[in-house]
Structure formats: structure tokens, C-alpha cells
Amino acid sequence: MALTDHNDVFFGSTDDAWTFALLNTPISAGPGILRAVGFSPREHLGRTVYLLAPGTSGTGARTGDAIAQLLPHTLDIVELAWTSHYRQAGASAPDTRITVCGTDVTATTTTPRVHPLLLQVGFTKRRDGTLQLADGMGEDEVVGRIVRTETHLFAEGLQVRVDLGIATPDALPPAPYR
């Protein structure tokens, strides 16, 4: 399995700015909800991936609407789509960038006040100045730590970008064997 496969619904972004949704558990209303807010279904390696193209207007609102409509069906929803986060036009790079490569998760930040928060949620400082999420965690725990970290940083008014290490929609992992 991949990090994207542990929750009932997973929203993320590819490196080339596509927003995607995966229904990892059958939710009868799910496909209709995602299509109604503008996600297009596409079959890919044994699963249906729901996609919003780069530059789609209202990506954040569409993703938020989908989540709100999916909540009566499941609470197990993860949203790590950097493309759906509001950023003012001309805004500088995010304060913190979290990069995922399998279960290896690193964080870089331009804001010193973020370091204690990252250490508090389980990151450790590396020699090159980046922070790394502690080794030995399972994928479920890694996803949970990323979600908590992003939530804490947003609560502090900081901009965050989570790079999932998925270059394009074609690079999404295949459906897990269940």
C-alpha cells in the first residue's frame, strides 16, 4: 500500500498541480459527489482516480464542498492537497514544505518559530538543517503525523505545502490488493 491508501477518502496533489481524490472504501454516494463538484473520474491501474486539472477555478472550494458532502458517509478523510489551499496572488513560497518519499518525510522551513513545533510532533533535526520524521513508523502513523503537523502550522497562520512525491496523475500508485 501507499500513504494514499489507508483512509476511506484521500485528497492530494501531484507535483504538476493536479488535485486528486481516491475513494479507498466503497462509498455509494462518493462518485456522484466528486463528479458534481467537478472532479473527473479516470481509470488508472485498477482504481478510479478523480481529478481536477491544474488551474481549475475554485479548486479549494470544490475540494471543501466534496469533503463536506462526504462527511455524512465517513469521517476517515485526509486532505493533503496543496493545490486546494488558498494563497494570495504573488504570495511568497510556503513557510514550510513537507516532502514525502515513501515513509521518509522531511520538512524545511524559512520560519525559525516552526522548528519547535516540528520537533514536538516527532521530527528530528538532521545535519543538513532539514528535519526528518522519526524512522520506524508505519504508514498510518506517518499520515497522521503529517496531518497533525499541517494542522498545527495552519493554526499558527503559516503556509504549508505537502509534496507527496507523485509527479503526475499517471504516477499514482496502483490500487492496493484487498
Side-chain angles (χ1 to χ4, degrees):
M1 274 205 248
L3 291 174
T4 57
D5 299 330
H6 292 270
N7 304 90
D8 290 350
V9 183
F10 188 96
F11 289 88
S13 300
T14 60
D15 296 346
D16 64 351
W18 286 81
T19 306
F20 66 88
L22 298 170
L23 298 173
N24 295 315
T25 301
I27 299 171
S28 59
I33 289 169
L34 291 168
R35 283 193 306 271
V37 299
F39 282 84
S40 299
R42 184 171 114 193
E43 293 303 313
H44 174 69
L45 299 175
R47 68 165 59 186
T48 304
V49 177
Y50 296 87
L51 297 168
L52 278 177
T56 300
S57 66
T59 297
R62 292 169 189 261
T63 303
D65 288 348
I67 291 169
Q69 292 176 49
L70 287 164
L71 282 171
H73 305 280
T74 182
L75 298 177
D76 189 17
I77 300 172
V78 167
E79 188 275 309
L80 293 174
W82 61 266
T83 52
S84 68
H85 301 162
Y86 173 75
R87 296 204 50 216
Q88 290 181 337
S92 61
D95 302 298
T96 303
R97 183 178 294 250
I98 298 171
T99 305
V100 179
C101 184
T103 56
D104 183 37
V105 180
T106 58
T108 55
T109 183
T110 58
T111 308
R113 69 183 175 120
V114 172
H115 282 262
L117 206 153
L118 292 170
L119 294 172
Q120 180 183 354
V121 296
F123 283 83
T124 57
K125 195 168 191 169
R126 296 185 348 181
R127 290 181 191 197
D128 66 0
T130 61
L131 293 133
Q132 181 174 6
L133 197 55
D135 290 330
M137 292 183 203
E139 288 178 336
D140 278 335
E141 189 174 3
V142 168
V143 171
R145 295 287 176 108
I146 294 168
V147 169
R148 280 195 301 277
T149 302
E150 185 183 49
T151 302
H152 283 262
L153 294 172
F154 281 143
E156 292 290 323
L158 299 166
Q159 293 293 315
V160 183
R161 177 173 167 159
V162 176
D163 291 323
L164 297 171
I166 301 171
T168 67
D170 290 335
L172 281 160
Y177 178 75
R178 296 195 189 271

